[in-house]
Amino acid sequence: MNIDRSKELFNRAQASIPGGVNSPVRAFKSVGGTPIFLKKAKGAYLYDADGNRYIDYINSWGPMILGHAFEPVVKAIQEIAEDSTSFGAPTELEIEMAELIKSMVPNVDLIRMVSSGTEACMSAIRLARGYTGRNKILKFEGCYHGHADSFLVKAGSGVATFNIQTVPGVTAGVANDTLTAPYNDIDAVKQQVDQHKGEIAAIIVEPVAGNMGCILPQPGFLEGLRQLCTQEGIVFIFDEVMTGFRLAKGGAQERLGIDADLVTYGKVIGAGMPVGAFGGKLEIMNHIAPLGNVYQAGTLSGNPLAMIAGFTLLTHLKNNPTVYKELEEKGTYLEKGLHNVLKASGIPYVINHLGSMISIHFSNKPVIDFASASTAKNNLFNTLFHKMLDRGIYLPPSAFESWFLSNALTYEDLDKTIEALDESLKEL
Ligand SMILES: *Cc1c(COP(=O)(O)O)cnc(C)c1O
């Protein structure tokens, strides 16, 4: 595949943008080579600066659940832009958005809009601290909750991709208030809770982890956390930035049948516009300003472009529950196909999959946490990534990322993907 124009753009970008990109994973550092510069996308396909077409398994890291440039969303943005792109004052559309979300997801009495998943998670943590009067939080190794200071401890995803252990710029004080435990290890959590009795404000978790590849919660793990949080007066936060409106209309809470106290959203909620949100139970949300004294604000929060994009996409998802059934079937079909060619290759592998989230690890043991994800043969993934890219399949450029399916994918696209994997594996 000719990517001369991308190479040219990448060289040029590095003179004015750090590393040539505005978010690190885009730089292809772990897989090596030149990041593809994109020009446009429609449905399941991306088109790069050289005019090459790719089948997209990143989907802007999740938001494009119905494919790119989904017409109702594009139209709605165009129409509303005429009436101003931001007011910094309340609008009826924000109420409609909040009401819509409340009608779709469990356990959200009040919801506040922000502009990114990072902001949503950092605000939820502040709220949990303000509400409980405690300082510490507990997160899981390999879970990513955005780039706020508190979360950059064993943070998975980009941080793992770049093999950064402790992040310069995060003070020891902040790092000390962040406790960690291995994903799926309820005993380790109990130990931390015992050791820091009455000090932990919140446990935050990706209910299905997507930032160390896709990793499923083992039976009893989330239930155990829920019970422990209730017992110890700890705020239980589901980071549904990835899973929200993706695993089900009501996200992981609905899909897995677990109640959270606070929930954070991003990605799908904005249909590709910068949107995040945090919400939850009234008793806790009551403490956020201006209702309470936990401060949180945003000049562009709830701006009309962001709101109409999210509102239009979520409305479509709410009114067309078949989308989730179709995504489920496509995910299962893809998994089966991947299994077939991987088995034939003789290379030890693990596929983790739930709904429209899926990933491959080259490992001969189950991948259930960050340690098992890290000890997989990720170099093999990196080689495979380029072979797939050459065949027009755009996978996330790191073994530490989940693939995201969009419902714009056809079975023909899935077959092509499986075939490309078969060919790629034969070249390894
Ligand atoms: C992407 C992601 C975030 C951060 O969202 P941004 O919009 O990139 O700030 C937080 N949590 C999870 C689980 C994510 O996948």
Side-chain angles (χ1 to χ4, degrees):
M1 213 170 256
N2 179 354
I3 56 158
D4 289 350
R5 180 79 181 126
S6 276
K7 286 182 179 161
E8 208 177 290
L9 290 171
F10 189 44
N11 279 336
R12 181 172 144 211
Q14 291 174 75
S16 55
I17 303 170
V21 294
N22 278 317
S23 196
V25 185
R26 296 178 197 170
F28 278 23
K29 256 195 148 164
S30 82
V31 292
T34 305
I36 303 301
F37 278 65
L38 297 174
K39 198 153 184 189
K40 62 174 189 177
K42 182 71 190 168
Y45 310 119
L46 303 170
Y47 300 87
D48 72 8
D50 290 277
N52 301 307
R53 193 186 90 159
Y54 305 87
I55 300 175
D56 188 11
Y57 286 93
I58 301 184
N59 283 294
S60 186
W61 305 95
M64 304 306 177
I65 191 166
L66 298 180
H68 290 271
F70 181 60
E71 252 153 57
V73 170
V74 174
K75 268 214 185 94
I77 294 172
Q78 284 168 341
E79 268 169 32
I80 212 162
E82 305 248 346
D83 297 334
S84 179
T85 52
S86 180
F87 302 108
T91 58
E92 185 173 356
L93 179 56
E94 291 165 85
I95 312 172
E96 287 172 341
M97 180 70 163
E99 289 172 347
L100 176 64
I101 294 168
K102 280 185 59 169
S103 76
M104 292 175 78
V105 307
N107 294 310
V108 167
D109 299 320
L110 293 175
I111 184 148
R112 169 67 57 84
M113 290 294 148
V114 293
S115 301
S116 69
T118 296
E119 257 189 278
C121 293
M122 111 193 165
S123 306
I125 287 292
R126 182 183 307 136
L127 174 56
R129 285 176 166 147
Y131 169 71
T132 57
R134 304 170 178 179
N135 287 339
K136 294 196 187 299
I137 62 159
L138 188 142
K139 73 176 284 290
F140 294 92
E141 292 166 17
C143 281
Y144 181 66
H145 305 292
H147 67 93
D149 288 359
S150 316
F151 301 125
L152 291 181
V153 180
K154 300 189 177 173
S157 196
V159 181
T161 300
F162 292 106
N163 198 21
I164 300 170
Q165 301 301 330
T166 53
V167 176
V170 175
T171 66
V174 170
N176 283 340
D177 277 336
T178 303
L179 309 170
T180 63
Y183 197 76
N184 276 323
D185 188 344
I186 190 75
D187 291 333
V189 178
K190 282 182 182 156
Q191 229 169 43
Q192 289 279 25
V193 170
D194 273 348
Q195 243 172 52
H196 301 277
K197 202 111 191 128
E199 293 179 279
I200 301 175
I203 293 179
I204 184 165
V205 68
E206 286 180 66
V208 174
N211 287 291
M212 37 188 167
C214 175
I215 294 187
L216 275 53
Q218 305 284 94
F221 174 57
L222 295 173
E223 290 82 352
L225 292 178
R226 173 66 274 178
Q227 198 181 5
L228 196 60
C229 284
T230 305
Q231 198 178 298
E232 301 290 333
I234 296 169
V235 177
F236 192 28
I237 306 175
F238 261 22
D239 178 350
E240 295 230 41
V241 172
M242 254 184 202
T243 54
F245 312 102
R246 173 166 285 282
L247 291 181
K249 165 175 76 67
Q253 284 199 96
E254 175 190 323
R255 176 83 193 232
L256 305 173
I258 311 272
D259 294 339
D261 298 319
L262 292 180
V263 196
T264 61
Y265 297 106
K267 298 191 169 120
V268 176
I269 202 175
M273 295 295 273
V275 184
F278 65 101
K281 296 178 177 163
L282 186 62
E283 183 194 328
I284 307 172
M285 288 301 289
N286 262 336
H287 291 256
I288 204 83
L291 272 183
N293 56 10
V294 180
Y295 196 69
Q296 187 281 324
T299 302
L300 300 178
S301 297
N303 77 79
L305 258 65
M307 289 302 97
I308 201 68
F311 181 79
T312 306
L313 179 62
L314 297 189
T315 302
H316 191 90
L317 292 172
K318 183 181 172 184
N319 294 339
N320 297 279
T322 50
V323 165
Y324 293 105
K325 197 171 153 273
E326 286 165 18
L327 276 170
E328 197 72 35
E329 287 164 1
K330 287 175 189 176
T332 304
Y333 183 88
L334 180 65
E335 183 187 343
K336 252 191 209 147
L338 297 179
H339 268 305
N340 286 340
V341 296
L342 280 160
K343 248 183 231 152
S345 78
I347 302 169
Y349 73 94
V350 171
I351 297 179
N352 288 336
H353 163 221
L354 189 68
S356 54
M357 292 170 70
I358 187 166
S359 66
I360 298 174
H361 289 97
F362 291 105
S363 173
N364 53 13
K365 50 176 200 251
V367 176
I368 55 157
D369 55 15
F370 186 68
S372 43
S374 319
T375 50
K377 288 192 175 139
N378 294 328
N379 285 341
L380 208 55
F381 177 86
N382 296 345
T383 310
L384 191 74
F385 165 83
H386 279 291
K387 295 194 178 297
M388 295 294 276
L389 192 66
D390 275 345
R391 291 177 166 84
I393 312 294
Y394 194 78
L395 301 177
S398 165
F400 291 109
E401 305 286 356
S402 176
W403 313 3
F404 295 108
L405 270 56
S406 83
N407 206 31
L409 285 163
T410 63
Y411 282 90
E412 198 188 337
D413 295 329
L414 299 176
D415 284 338
K416 272 189 194 154
T417 306
I418 295 159
E419 199 183 301
L421 182 70
D422 192 27
E423 289 173 16
S424 302
L425 286 167
K426 284 178 178 149
E427 284 180 17
L428 287 180

